[in-house]
Each structure stands twice: as structure tokens, then as C-alpha cells.
Amino acid sequence: MAANFLHGVETIEIDKGPRPIRGVKTAVVGLVGTAPIFQVDGALASLNKPVLIQSDRDAARYFGTQIEGYTIPQALDAIFDQGRGIVVVVNVFDPETHVTAQAAKDVTFGADETADLGHKGVFGLVLTDATATTTYVAGTDYTLDPATGIVTRLPGGAISAAETVKAAYDFADPEKVLPSDIIGAVDVSGNRTGMQAFLDCYAEMGFWPKILIAPVYGTLTSVTAELDVMAGKLRAIALADAPIGTTMAEAIAGRGPNGSINFNTSSERMVLCYPHLKVYDLATDTERLEPYSQRLAGVICAVDNDEGYWVSPSNHDIKGIVGVERRLSAMINDPTTDVNLLNENGIVTVFNSFGSGLRVWGNRSAAWPSVTHPKNFIPIRRVADMLHESVELSMLQFIDRPINQALIDDIRESVNSFIRTLIGRGALIDGKCSYDPAKNEATQIAAGHLVFDIEFMPPTPAERITFESFINIELLNQLGGQ
């Protein structure tokens, strides 16, 4: 109340009562990899910066088309094939750094007046005659399309029709990208690179990516380990693939200390994917292999949007694929099948039986079988993350308010209202937020510290259904009309 004298009437607005809590976004993929940014408009090209992509048009506009050796365009196509979702993309490929020098080689102009240098993303072209005594001039004798590596002979120039010339140049080479580029760091200017750039997402976009992938590079133990670290920081899950060519036995052995692949982890935030998937390649009219993780990320987004983040991605169709790298036996009622054995060891795989199509198969993270707590179920881990983060972020409006009974009631009822909403949606079986005076001693409150308890239980996936069958001879009494 104002201390000054007033002969009259005044109104003072007081904020009290529970506040609505907004759930955080869950169907957000964090993708780190390489893109042929020499294809895109220079103003749109990005390096080590998170870029929000919401459609296939955005994907091509900001990160180019699918070219062998580059991971981002292929991964975006795989994600959007599944339906809906948004992707935060970090490109680490730098055409100025990740290049290879091509020594002078012979190229011949064809009947269409063009010559293909054999590489895409070409820079610093030096074109000479066959004896290397005459250097041709760009714009006078020829033109170059750097994105395609196509040189066109200009009429009236010094290059003769069908002439064989020597070409020396630098070309963009994604094989120069190292695991350290994908993992990233903080440079001397304070800029984050690689997957570390995901830490800038909330400040720039208001949300974090919740499904992390690094296709191709995610088969490396070093990258898998850092994906796990980043997932912990962001309250996300991370998807890792076994390397191409891994046998089922090697995938399972990879869960142990003597395994030769990146599967030896018991993190509840890591999802282990096996095997690679087959897709049809439009450019080559052949089948090619691609990482399972990028398709699974898209499936998770689609399930989040269509059914809810509390629903497991398991037993949902994988769209846009024509097969799997290795044939795996699959029967819903046979525990000895390949897919059941993989699931038993904490590996998410592909179910493909008669008439079933190709489906995600597996509910558990890499925490299984080491951790038997329900949080080894992928959807339960994600529900807990969403609940905790949503509640925490909503508390900004209560921070630094005077501690009194009204504040305690407002906080408790705000959380309980949110929990009731989640129960109504099916995300929780039950739950509540409570204030325990025994955990809030006077000295603690005097220090400005309040403690609340939250207990909750998400629905577990119906991973196993058992029927107990009995032959009951008493049912024979129905014969003869008795």
C-alpha cells in the first residue's frame, strides 16, 4: 500500500491464484551433420548454427539436395517421410575448410559444349590447354557452375570444340569432416560449434530439441558418448546406429565390454538402433542403405503429434523404406526370434512378418536390461522429462515472490492442475504435487527455499500380453441341453 496520504479511493491489482502451465515441445529433432551448402543462396547458408526446418521446402532451401556423402538432406527427407515434426539442424560442413585439392587432370568438352569435372562444389578452377601453356579465362573462354562442377565452353572463346583441357581445382569434400567437428566445442570467441550449438536453442527459439541424431557419425563411439552427454543436458533422448555391416551377434556383443561397436552403454537417454534400412535412390535408380536413427526420429515425431509423447514409437510403420540391411526373424508369439533377442538386450530393431509391413520394434532404451525401473521405457523417460521441464519453466512467475501460504497454495495448485490435464489426456495414470512441512523447516524457509513433492506414474506400454488357457471338462455338461 502507498504510504502517502490519500483522501479518496484507489485500486491495487494483486496477482494470486494458480497459473496455467504450458507443456514443452516434444516432437523436435536435433540433427547435426553435413550439408552441401554451396548449393544454397549465400545468405541462407549456415555453419555451426541451429536452423529451424519445418518442411521439405525449407530443407532444400537451407541445406540443399541429396548428394552422396552429405548427411543432412538425406536425414531431413527420412524424417519428413514419416509425417509431421520440426527439426533443428546444425551443419558443420565448411566448403572453405573441408576441401581437397585436385591436381591438373584431363577433361574433354562434349557435343553439348560442356565438361564434367567429376566433383560437386568446385572452387579455384584453373583451366589450361593440354600442354599447360595457355590459361583460359573464366567468363571469356568458359563458365563454371560450382555447385555441379560443370564447365561450359563459350562461343568465340579460345577453347576449341571437343578440346581436351587440363583442370586443376579444389572441391568440397565431406570426408574431411571429423568426429570432433560433429561433437563441437566452444571457440575462443565464445561461439558454440557442432552439437554444442543445440545449447543455444532455447535462447533463440524458446525450446530445446528432444530427439538427437547424428546420422552416419552416430555409429562412432566418440559421437555416441557425446550424444548421451548432450541428451542429459537437454532432457532429450539420443538415437545411435550400429555401423553398416554389423551382424546381429556383433550388435548384441556390442552391449558388453568386449564389443567392437558403440553399444556399450546403459544410459536411459540412449536408444540403440539396428540394423540400417534400405531406401530407393532416385538419382541412381538403385537401393542404398541409410541409418535407422533418422527414420526412427521421424516416427517418434509423428507419434507425438498424432497420439501423444506418452505413446511408444514401437509397433508403428516406418515409411519410405523398401527393406532392411539384414533379414531378421520376427514372430509375435516366438521368444526365440531375432527381433525378440535384440529387444531383450536393449536394442530397438525392425519387425517384418507376414502382412505386417516394416515396423519399429522395441520400447526400451539402452538402460535395459541393467536398469529394471520403468524409466527404461522410452515413453516413460520422455513423459518425466516433459513434466519436469514444463513445471520448472512455469515457475519463473513465482520466483522471488514473498513466501506465504498463498504462494505455497498457488504453486501447488498450478502443478496439480497441470497434472490433472496430463491425466485427462492419458499421459499419466495419476499424480500429485504436495507440500510437506517436515521438508520445509523454518530455517530453510528463512533462507528463501521451498520444497515440493511431485509423484506421478505414466502408462507403461503393453509390451507383453499373456493369456492363461484352461481346458474345463465341466463345459461338457452343456451337451444334450443339460
Side-chain angles (χ1 to χ4, degrees), residues 80-124:
F80 291 127
D81 270 358
Q82 311 312 310
R84 294 182 292 169
I86 58 177
V87 189
V88 177
V89 183
V90 176
N91 166 58
V92 304
F93 177 75
D94 184 355
E96 296 183 1
T97 302
H98 303 120
V99 297
T100 293
Q102 173 63 57
K105 67 174 185 177
D106 291 342
V107 295
T108 303
F109 287 91
D112 61 353
E113 309 296 349
T114 66
D116 188 347
L117 296 178
H119 295 99
K120 301 182 186 301
V122 173
F123 309 96

Side-chain angles (χ1 to χ4, degrees), residues 131 165 187 191 243 271 289 291 333 396:
T131 62
V165 298
D187 64 23
N191 300 313
V271 177
L289 293 175
N333 57 352
L396 178 62

Side-chain angles (χ1 to χ4, degrees), residues 150-175:
I150 300 296
V151 181
T152 302
R153 186 181 76 89
L154 293 178
I159 303 175
S160 304
E163 181 177 347
T164 297
V165 298
K166 289 189 178 296
Y169 53 88
D170 293 335
F171 64 89
D173 188 354
E175 293 186 3

Side-chain angles (χ1 to χ4, degrees), residues 302-342:
V303 172
D304 280 10
N305 283 307
D306 296 339
E307 302 175 60
Y309 51 83
W310 53 92
V311 178
S312 174
S314 185
N315 202 15
H316 288 82
D317 289 337
I318 308 170
K319 298 178 181 178
I321 63 173
V322 297
V324 294
E325 178 188 8
R326 293 183 180 275
R327 294 185 63 180
L328 300 171
S329 61
M331 283 291 291
I332 197 171
N333 57 352
D334 184 355
T336 67
T337 60
D338 295 340
V339 296
N340 193 73
L341 186 58
L342 288 163

